[in-house]
Amino acid sequence: MKRVTRPATPFEGQRPGTSGLRKKVSVFQQPGYLENFVQALFNVLGDASGKTLVVGGDGRYYNRVAIQTILRMAAAHGYARVLVGQGGILSTPAMSAVIRRRAASGGIVLSASHNPGGPSGDFGIKYNIANGGPAPESVTEAIYLRSREVHEVHTVDSPDLPLDALGTHRLLDTQIEIIDPVADYCAVQRALFDFDAIRALFARGFRLRLDTMWAVGGPYAKALIEGELGAPAGTVVNATPREDFGDLHPDPNPVNATDLIAHMAAADAPDMGAATDGDADRNMIVGRNFAVSPSDSLAVLAAHATRIPGYAAGLAGVARSMPTSTAVDRVAAKLGIACYETPTGWKFFGNLLDAGKVTLCGEESYGTGSNHIREKDGLWAVLFWLNLIAVTGKSVEQLVRALWAEHGRCVYSRHDYEGIPTAQADALMRDLRAALPGLPGTVLAGEPVAIADDFAYTDPTDGSISSKQGVRIILRSGSRVVFRLSGTGTEGATLRIYLERHEPDPSRHDLPAQQALAPLVALAEQVARVRHFTGMDTPSVMT
Ligand code: G1P
Ligand code: ZN
């Protein structure tokens, strides 16, 4: 075993997006591609002596190859210790838990989250810092700049390490420890929720169907839900992680989790349905024939948080990404706590959580979480709902309808236009931005425009500014349309249009969302010429 330094040539385009560097597997398979990025990361991180690094991924295709490469490079870089999830597995929330509980200096997450996997799918790499959360923009930008000037890569000439058995190995002076990937995560959940109450709920015959979409959530859900909490075997379905997620799209929304939605619409539907994504940080909650919007889910959790042991002392505040509906704002106002509006991406919640300004946070994209870790957490959300149902005796639908009755319904939808030629998407955004100054005061969708701007965020803890985070057109009533380009896609550009309208009238709460939002869709077409630029008559996905 010896240290080797290989000459390298920088790669173009290694700029991390909303959540790390995501590319097609074939891009990562280019010789030197992953090494280049990891070298840039290590160059930015500097001296590793005495430090602990955590490495793990969602088990998708290329996970094992990438982990072996990173272990060799971490040893060459001089880490004292590297913790690796057994089999190379760590869900994204489990990574965050391990970093925090083991006081590691950071971790490397190998995942492309909800993006499809397999040889023709996507792969990704993301660095999390010592608080357990995604590195802030200052770090990801530094990595990108370094990636353009990597001229040598430091590694070790050594055989692959066995990842499948717990144990300790040595690479140069680095101790490599293969750890149980679920233990730390389960310990964190145990400290938050009333497991006895949830156990009693299952003992009373409560039926849950938890679809982990052939992804990494499976082992965690089996251990907690069917193991500790005593739900019957078969409660967690599609639970064996596969490298290609069974050739499905592991994104828990009604469009991709069709099997779950069908089960929840059946005559003998379980009491609650839920799904988690490729790396188990996203969640969808479904009642009987009743899909809960992620924005409503966040609001319900905030409204009842004090019923949960881990949050009994109350919430410091809440945060949501800008495009997420304002349902949680209304709950926060009622509770008399602050509500922060951040740009899209979990990394923006980290500082607020670290500073103790917020306890719960969430995004419209099926992400919810809290200060227990620094990532969103799919199974945590499922446990939170189970705990709430256990102590309130209410169903999923009753909890959501109570929210609407009290605060009105924030009718919400996101329309995605996928695979648009990048130049066309950029042109749409450019024209739209140019039109903004003329919009305030004009009447659109029957109402005057109150605000038309490009969202910019000043982090209240460190003053850092993130601009161009999404174009917003907000009408006088608060109805709004938001436009932004995805930062996680790997093919062309994806335009996301977020639509929200507040409906106070309970007799209109059951109107189909798309119908209620039609005037806002027309507004979007009018101001952004969506058809013209995308060449598409309808969105590729509506959630
Ligand atoms: C998407 C979601 C965003 C989420 C991110 C990572 O990013 O919209 O809320 O944080 O995935 O899960 P986007 O593709 O929109 O940049
Ligand atoms: Zn994810």
Side-chain angles (χ1 to χ4, degrees), residues 76-347:
H77 191 60
Y79 274 99
R81 224 156 60 112
V82 181
L83 308 177
V84 193
Q86 188 178 11
I89 292 290
L90 276 176
S91 75
T92 295
M95 165 64 81
S96 192
V98 172
I99 294 174
R100 292 170 72 79
R101 283 170 60 87
R102 314 265 185 137
S105 61
I108 298 179
V109 186
L110 300 159
S111 169
S113 185
H114 52 285
N115 294 14
S120 56
D122 291 349
F123 192 73
I125 177 168
K126 179 172 91 163
Y127 183 69
N128 281 21
I129 56 176
N131 73 355
E137 267 187 346
S138 54
V139 176
T140 56
E141 271 305 292
I143 300 169
Y144 169 61
L145 293 176
R146 289 304 283 261
S147 77
R148 302 198 300 183
E149 42 193 56
V150 171
H151 294 292
E152 51 183 35
V153 162
H154 306 286
T155 185
V156 181
D157 193 3
S158 65
D160 281 358
L161 287 172
L163 300 179
D164 291 315
L166 301 180
T168 302
H169 309 275
R170 245 194 138 69
L171 264 188
L172 298 178
D173 293 327
T174 305
Q175 180 177 312
I176 314 268
E177 221 179 294
I178 314 295
I179 60 165
D180 177 344
V182 300
D184 289 77
Y185 179 83
C186 294
V188 170
Q189 308 301 331
R190 226 174 270 132
L192 293 173
F193 298 108
D194 185 346
F195 274 28
D196 287 338
I198 303 176
R199 233 175 259 128
L201 180 73
F202 284 126
R204 290 198 293 276
F206 183 87
R207 286 164 62 217
L208 168 73
R209 182 180 178 90
L210 173 51
D211 188 338
T212 50
M213 304 191 89
W214 303 111
V216 76
Y220 296 86
K222 282 268 179 198
L224 278 173
I225 303 279
E226 293 185 11
E228 278 189 54
L229 295 168
T235 297
V236 185
V237 296
N238 302 329
T240 310
R242 294 187 181 171
E243 286 198 330
D244 63 355
F245 308 116
D247 240 354
L248 299 170
H249 194 158
D251 196 2
N253 62 41
V255 176
N256 292 317
T258 44
D259 181 60
L260 177 68
I261 295 293
H263 273 92
M264 295 308 296
D268 62 344
D271 300 289
M272 172 175 156
T276 51
D277 76 329
D279 59 337
D281 60 352
R282 293 187 174 199
N283 76 90
M284 173 172 67
I285 303 294
V286 192
R288 282 206 177 122
N289 207 10
F290 187 90
V292 182
S293 95
S295 302
D296 281 346
S297 176
L298 174 64
V300 168
L301 302 190
H304 300 283
T306 53
R307 305 291 304 269
I308 306 296
Y311 308 100
L315 304 177
V318 291
R320 63 163 172 86
S321 67
M322 182 272 282
T324 302
S325 100
T326 55
V328 74
D329 303 40
R330 297 163 201 273
V331 171
K334 168 96 188 297
L335 295 173
I337 58 173
C339 177
Y340 294 85
E341 186 178 37
T342 60
T344 295
W346 209 260
K347 57 178 177 257

Side-chain angles (χ1 to χ4, degrees), residues 100 298 302 305 310-311 314-321 328 332 337-342 346-362 369-374 380 457 459-461:
R100 292 170 72 79
L298 174 64
Y311 308 100
L315 304 177
V318 291
R320 63 163 172 86
S321 67
V328 74
I337 58 173
C339 177
Y340 294 85
E341 186 178 37
T342 60
W346 209 260
K347 57 178 177 257
F348 293 101
F349 295 132
N351 283 348
L352 295 171
L353 291 163
D354 283 353
K357 288 180 182 294
V358 306
T359 311
L360 296 191
C361 39
S370 90
N371 60 352
H372 67 294
I373 52 170
R374 294 294 180 274
W380 167 89
Y457 177 67
D459 185 300
T461 67

Side-chain angles (χ1 to χ4, degrees), residues 347-417:
K347 57 178 177 257
F348 293 101
F349 295 132
N351 283 348
L352 295 171
L353 291 163
D354 283 353
K357 288 180 182 294
V358 306
T359 311
L360 296 191
C361 39
E363 295 193 275
E364 51 65 42
S365 52
Y366 296 84
T368 344
S370 90
N371 60 352
H372 67 294
I373 52 170
R374 294 294 180 274
E375 287 280 4
K376 51 187 178 259
D377 189 346
L379 195 47
W380 167 89
V382 176
L383 292 168
F384 203 131
W385 273 91
L386 287 169
N387 199 155
L388 266 191
I389 290 166
V391 297
T392 61
K394 296 205 171 107
S395 69
V396 170
E397 179 168 350
Q398 283 169 335
L399 285 163
V400 176
R401 287 198 181 274
L403 173 85
W404 295 349
E406 186 171 357
H407 298 284
R409 178 179 179 188
C410 292
V411 185
Y412 191 86
S413 181
R414 186 176 99 184
H415 291 186
D416 291 338
Y417 294 79

